[in-house]
Amino acid sequence: MADTGVVETLLRLIEKVDDGVDSLEVAASLGVDHQVIVGAVKSLQALGDIISAELRSSKHWELTEEGTEIAEQGSHEARVFSSIPLEGLAQSELMVESIDDQVREKLLLVKKANTAQLEEKEKNELKKRKLLSEVTVKSYWISKGISFSTTITKQETELTPEMVANGSWKEKKFKPYNFEAMGVAPDCGHLHPLMKVRTQFRQIFLEMGFTEMPTNNFIESSFWNFDSLFQPQQHPARDQHDTFFLSDPALAHEFPQDYLERVKKVHSEGGFGSQGYKYDWKIEEAQKNILRTHTTAVSARMLYKLAQQKFTPVKYFSIDRVFRNETLDATHLAEFHQIEGVVADYGLTLGDLMGILHQFFTKLGITKLRFKPAYNPYTEPSMEVFSYHEGLKKWVEVGNSGVFRPEMLLPMGLPEDVSVIAWGLSLERPTMIKYGINNIRELVGHKVNLQMVYDSPICRLES
């Protein structure tokens, strides 16, 4: 609400005139800023039809900062002339006996609000020299409204039960509803913490020159999910207790036959310098459709596609959901997100893998890393990746990595001197290690048991 004294004064001024008053003139007469009068007008408009206010626009010329300086001290030319000392320069050499500072005279006319005495050409010339600026001023022409009164009566904004009960509402003046007013913005949804961190992971991969792999096939055949990775058909991970099998469609039928035969041979007989697993490999087992248990199945498809053309070094990554047939408990989930990075080039070693892992996790903000030898069916050598958790004060596992085996790569058709290094981790655990603890503390507003959070399903690293 505007200042009550200004509002009452404005009403008395309006009462004395028949046609109305200009808000700029009112501000000048009262010696207040124009916005104070505008606030009073807005307040009176909110009370109904007490006043009528017509918005008007007018243009006038104002001196710029430089123009004001010239009006007060003279033009640059005049000041130069005045600054020449008599003893330093003879009058005959100056070639002028006196000057007429027309620029200053014109600016003084503007300063005294006599702009009408200047021609448009003169004003434009001064504008080009940035001594004048044309300003648009908005003001209100204020006159009496239908319900004009010098007495302000507060309007009620809501009808209360008490008004209805005692009948006082009949004598009250209610503020009209503005049905075109914007309502209060409802609380909106927010990005899930995992999705926010997923975007950060993706940005890190892109900054490192990686290309994102297509991961839009949650359903995968056992061939691409297991067999192509040199994972034997009797491996425990392929059991129904660990994998979701589809009943419809239960089987896949389209495979690259030459490649399938090479995979069958390296499993059952060996090859490419390997003795294989020496078992009866069955196409019926490879055909079974499943919910993919890892995004490495996507990596296998991409590497096979790469092998069908002239080899060029590549860097791939993927971030998407995978599924495990787990019994849900405090440390197990049936669905989580896997992050995977793959680099294929000539002569890559375990040292290259360690270097790129340090670079990757440093960009994430995780700098203390350790590597531990591990076993994976499709990588040799293999390493588990550990990071020091400052909150828990201990080393925790954050990922798995290794160099893809020749038994996986050579049947695809990749050159023998090409190595492929890869690593994978769940999105959930690094999220909690690096970002999640503080986010959770903000949400709940008190301290959180870090070990409890770390051991929760969202933090579990599936392997």
Side-chain angles (χ1 to χ4, degrees):
M1 181 71 180
D3 183 85
T4 305
V6 175
V7 172
E8 292 176 349
T9 302
L10 178 60
L11 289 173
R12 287 196 296 270
L13 288 173
I14 298 172
E15 184 184 21
K16 294 177 182 178
V17 297
D18 296 327
D19 50 350
V21 294
D22 183 78
S23 59
L24 282 171
E25 295 177 358
V26 173
S29 65
L30 296 180
V32 297
D33 187 85
H34 181 242
Q35 289 303 313
V36 174
I37 304 302
V38 172
V41 170
K42 296 289 186 183
S43 297
L44 289 171
Q45 285 180 319
L47 297 177
D49 297 325
I50 296 177
I51 63 168
S52 173
E54 177 189 350
L55 183 62
R56 294 181 175 181
S57 297
S58 62
K59 293 184 178 181
H60 71 274
W61 294 89
E62 285 186 357
L63 299 182
T64 63
E65 184 177 349
E66 184 180 0
T68 303
E69 179 186 343
I70 290 175
E72 294 174 353
Q73 302 178 18
S75 65
H76 303 303
E77 299 87 346
R79 278 185 276 175
V80 169
F81 176 80
S82 301
S83 64
I84 298 175
L86 295 176
E87 64 275 11
L89 187 63
Q91 187 74 12
S92 58
E93 296 178 19
L94 187 60
M95 299 178 65
V96 289
E97 296 181 359
S98 63
I99 64 169
D100 183 13
D101 197 351
Q102 296 181 355
V103 174
R104 184 184 186 187
E105 292 174 359
K106 293 174 183 178
L107 293 177
L108 286 172
L109 287 174
V110 176
K111 188 175 183 180
K112 296 175 181 177
N114 294 324
T115 314
Q117 297 182 26
L118 296 177
E119 296 180 1
E120 287 298 320
K121 182 179 179 181
E122 293 175 315
K123 289 184 283 189
N124 289 330
E125 286 294 330
L126 293 172
K127 182 179 180 182
K128 286 181 182 179
R129 294 184 59 177
K130 298 184 178 179
L131 304 178
L132 275 187
S133 62
E134 192 173 22
V135 179
T136 300
V137 178
K138 292 184 178 181
S139 62
Y140 286 95
W141 182 256
I142 314 164
S143 57
K144 299 174 183 176
I146 300 173
S147 305
F148 179 78
S149 172
T150 56
T151 303
I152 301 174
T153 303
K154 182 181 177 182
Q155 294 179 319
E156 300 293 338
T157 56
E158 59 180 86
L159 180 65
T160 64
E162 291 77 12
M163 292 179 187
V164 175
N166 58 30
S168 62
W169 63 270
K170 298 176 182 179
E171 300 174 358
K172 300 285 186 181
K173 288 188 176 181
F174 290 89
K175 184 177 180 180
Y177 282 103
N178 182 4
F179 293 100
E180 296 182 359
M182 298 294 292
V184 178
D187 290 335
C188 300
H190 302 278
L191 286 176
H192 192 282
L194 285 180
M195 295 300 100
K196 293 174 71 173
V197 179
R198 174 178 176 168
T199 301
Q200 294 174 345
F201 269 106
R202 186 174 183 272
Q203 185 60 36
I204 289 173
F205 274 116
L206 294 175
E207 289 174 359
M208 294 174 65
F210 281 71
T211 301
E212 189 166 12
M213 296 185 283
T215 56
N216 54 348
N217 53 322
F218 291 165
I219 298 174
E220 190 58 272
S221 67
S222 294
F223 174 78
W224 288 108
N225 198 84
F226 297 120
D227 296 275
S228 66
L229 304 180
F230 195 56
Q231 193 161 331
Q233 292 185 340
Q234 68 271 23
H235 194 280
R238 301 178 68 153
D239 190 80
Q240 289 186 353
H241 295 293
D242 292 299
T243 304
F244 288 110
F245 288 87
L246 269 68
S247 58
D248 185 21
L251 303 176
H253 301 283
E254 296 182 5
F255 303 101
Q257 289 302 315
D258 292 344
Y259 175 48
L260 185 142
E261 290 299 326
R262 292 194 294 271
V263 171
K264 175 182 177 181
K265 184 177 180 180
V266 77
H267 275 253
S268 56
E269 302 176 18
F272 308 103
S274 171
Q275 65 178 6
Y277 292 114
K278 304 297 183 181
Y279 70 97
D280 184 18
W281 188 89
K282 297 180 180 179
I283 182 63
E284 294 80 10
E285 191 68 29
Q287 286 181 302
K288 292 179 180 179
N289 281 327
I290 62 170
L291 289 178
R292 67 182 180 206
T293 61
H294 50 194
T295 54
T296 315
V298 179
S299 301
R301 285 182 177 271
M302 294 297 292
L303 291 172
Y304 173 75
K305 183 179 179 181
L306 178 66
Q308 308 315 301
Q309 57 196 30
K310 184 178 179 180
F311 178 78
T312 55
V314 296
K315 293 191 286 187
Y316 294 136
F317 81 95
S318 64
I319 308 173
D320 213 336
R321 283 181 285 177
V322 295
F323 309 87
R324 304 285 173 87
N325 189 3
E326 300 275 14
T327 301
L328 298 182
D329 57 28
T331 60
H332 295 78
L333 287 175
E335 177 184 339
F336 60 97
H337 292 78
Q338 181 175 335
I339 303 167
E340 184 155 340
V342 176
V343 181
D345 203 346
Y346 295 101
L348 293 176
T349 65
L350 202 63
D352 295 304
L353 177 58
M354 288 179 172
I356 203 167
L357 284 172
H358 270 291
Q359 182 184 11
F360 175 79
F361 281 103
T362 298
K363 283 181 173 290
L364 184 61
I366 299 174
T367 55
K368 296 182 180 180
L369 293 180
R370 281 183 180 176
F371 304 101
K372 174 184 175 183
Y375 168 76
N376 293 315
Y378 42 89
T379 59
E380 180 61 38
S382 306
M383 302 184 303
E384 292 175 343
V385 186
F386 289 80
S387 168
Y388 187 75
H389 194 300
E390 298 292 347
L392 297 175
K393 303 298 180 184
K394 71 175 185 178
W395 293 88
V396 295
E397 185 182 356
V398 293
N400 211 328
S401 64
V403 181
F404 281 142
R405 297 176 65 105
E407 296 96 326
M408 172 186 166
L409 301 178
L410 295 180
M412 293 178 175
L414 289 169
E416 292 186 8
D417 53 350
V418 168
S419 300
V420 180
I421 57 177
W423 71 98
L425 56 148
S426 72
L427 177 64
E428 285 77 359
R429 175 159 291 187
T431 300
M432 300 303 294
I433 290 175
K434 178 59 185 172
Y435 302 99
I437 301 301
N438 290 334
N439 289 342
I440 287 179
R441 281 175 171 164
E442 285 183 15
L443 290 173
V444 300
H446 55 76
K447 292 184 178 180
V448 175
N449 185 310
L450 300 188
Q451 185 65 54
M452 179 184 69
V453 173
Y454 180 80
D455 290 337
S456 68
I458 197 171
C459 284
R460 181 173 183 260
L461 175 66
E462 303 287 353
S463 59

